[in-house]
Amino acid sequence: MKYAAPSSVEEATSLLSSSPSAQVFAGATDVVPQIRAGRPVPDVLVDLKKIDELVSLTNDAEKWTVGAAIPTVRLTEDAAFSGEFPGLSEAAGLIGSDQIQSRSSLGGNLCNGSPAADSVPALVVNGARALIAGPKGTRLIDVSDVVTGPGETCLASDEFVVEFELDRMPSRSADAYLRMIPRTEMDIAVVGAGARIVLSEDGTITDAAVALGAVAPTVVRVPAAEEALVGTLADDDTLVAVAAAASDACNPIDDKRGTIDYRKQVAGVLAKRAVLIAIERAGQRNGDV
Amino acid sequence: MARTHITTVINGDEVDFLSEDSTSLLNALRDEVGLTGAKEGCGTGDCGACSVLMDDMVTCACLVFAPEADGATILTVEGLADSGELHPLQQCFLEGAALQCGICTPGFLIAAKALLDKNPDPTETEIRYALAGNLCRCTGYDKIIRAVQEAAIQMRGN
Ligand SMILES: Cc1cc2nc3c(=O)[nH]c(=O)nc-3n(C[C@H](O)[C@H](O)[C@H](O)COP(=O)(O)OP(=O)(O)OC[C@H]3O[C@@H](n4cnc5c(N)ncnc54)[C@H](O)[C@@H]3O)c2cc1C
Ligand code: FES
Ligand code: FES
């Protein structure tokens, strides 16, 4: 295995195109354990962290641009970013220990393709887009379209995610993410639930997004929950409908960490709670961003 | 296999070493540089026995490829003591019997230092979260938490 650390996107794509089993990495917090567990070792490992775009965090009036290889600790410790996206920041902050946080990236969390990847439901509810670079240039796709199954993405072997785009959070809008694990730290989600809510001045929900992790082969949106929320004040009946829709959207596995019934029930509870947190936060976000 | 030349600053000294690209920083530190404080408990990021500070961030050296360390500043447990005088964390671990077999200790000391560098007055909960990436099969953790609390008090006093 050879290590390569290109300094530009073009250099990285040409390296990927010229080596048959080259693989990109950022923190290697998935890559190394996978190699240790017996996955074939690529002939070239391409370190993305020396490319400026991959490690920069910027914003303008319209959007945030988040480098795909930024260590997640930089996102959670950035007061402006985590203040505007508390849900995404909490989700990113749940990935592993402090030792892992100094390495783990959103690009790696997404492209590893785990159904339980914590940041993905939070990216999806925020409508994040991924800028993909390849030999023919770049394309922008919805994060929700990147993962196609466990460990599978729609990226070609010579493509990689450069950065994520997130629209600026308008006033009276907010996100939230909750996960259920059997311990309090250092475990993989049994269920993860992300929500984003937009409120009108009188508190009526005008837009809602709900997404679940770890309950299906990929992260799933829950349109029935979103429809149930829009136009309401999130009264008890609505929340019962949200929970039922979330449970119905699950197609979970049955394993030692949670049975199918358990995961479905927890998905309903967490979706409801995440929605309530997002509503409370949205209500406090008045005025300028 | 070709070996790459890597230039780092480790524990305050410039250190050059040669390593194969697939070698972990942990194995390079232990086998090429001769610093055997950081330990391999799992090799997969779960136990924290291999913790080092890399550019001031606490990291599992088992998850870092040695060539990534080129140009980096690294602190291992060997760099904690100051000209023969133990760091307050080391002294408090000793006095508080916060170790038994000792395999986990270098990692706990480094993770605790990373915490106290950022947060000199952490709550017990903050200490427990900051050390969640370090596993100990011997002590039951309580004495480790107490030792970090005591070291924090001493370090704030200085
Ligand atoms: C102890 C431990 C605890 C963990 N806990 C959690 C947890 O609680 N929640 C959770 O979600 N995950 C957890 N993980 C998994 C892992 O840390 C995360 O998925 C992390 O975000 C991966 O990021 P990375 O940069 O390290 O990925 P890498 O290992 O560098 O890459 C992962 C995969 O993505 C590909 N890739 C990386 N970057 C890109 C890119 N920019 N474009 C295209 N492909 C790319 C790589 O080729 C590889 O296939 C844990 C891991 C460990 C070791
Ligand atoms: S040896 Fe690195 S975390 Fe266990
Ligand atoms: S003292 Fe033995 S593992 Fe911690």
Side-chain angles (χ1 to χ4, degrees), chain A residues 177-189:
Chain A
Y177 177 79
L178 293 173
R179 80 169 178 188
M180 166 69 205
I181 56 173
R183 312 168 61 201
T184 43
E185 257 286 79
M186 296 295 289
D187 209 339
I188 306 296

Side-chain angles (χ1 to χ4, degrees), chain B residues 23-34:
Chain B
T23 299
S24 68
L25 173 62
L26 176 62
N27 284 341
L29 287 170
R30 295 178 56 85
D31 302 337
E32 308 298 335
V33 186

Side-chain angles (χ1 to χ4, degrees), chain A residues 25-50:
Chain A
F25 80 100
T29 63
D30 281 314
V31 165
V32 168
Q34 285 161 1
I35 291 175
R36 299 276 303 215
R39 282 247 187 127
V41 183
D43 45 37
V44 185
L45 261 183
V46 180
D47 185 348
L48 297 174
K49 298 188 298 294
K50 303 284 156 70

Side-chain angles (χ1 to χ4, degrees), chain A residues 23-34 39 45 48 54 68-69 72 91 94-97 100 103-114 116-119 155 159-162 179 186-189, chain B residues 44-47 63:
Chain A
Q23 188 182 4
V24 296
F25 80 100
T29 63
D30 281 314
V31 165
V32 168
Q34 285 161 1
R39 282 247 187 127
L45 261 183
L48 297 174
L54 272 287
T72 43
L94 285 170
I95 299 173
S97 57
I100 300 299
R103 303 271 298 172
S104 56
S105 66
L106 295 185
N109 200 221
L110 177 67
C111 296
N112 186 55
S114 164
D118 280 304
S119 70
L155 273 61
E159 289 185 315
F160 62 93
V161 181
V162 176
R179 80 169 178 188
M186 296 295 289
D187 209 339
I188 306 296
Chain B
T44 53
D46 291 291
C47 76
L63 297 181

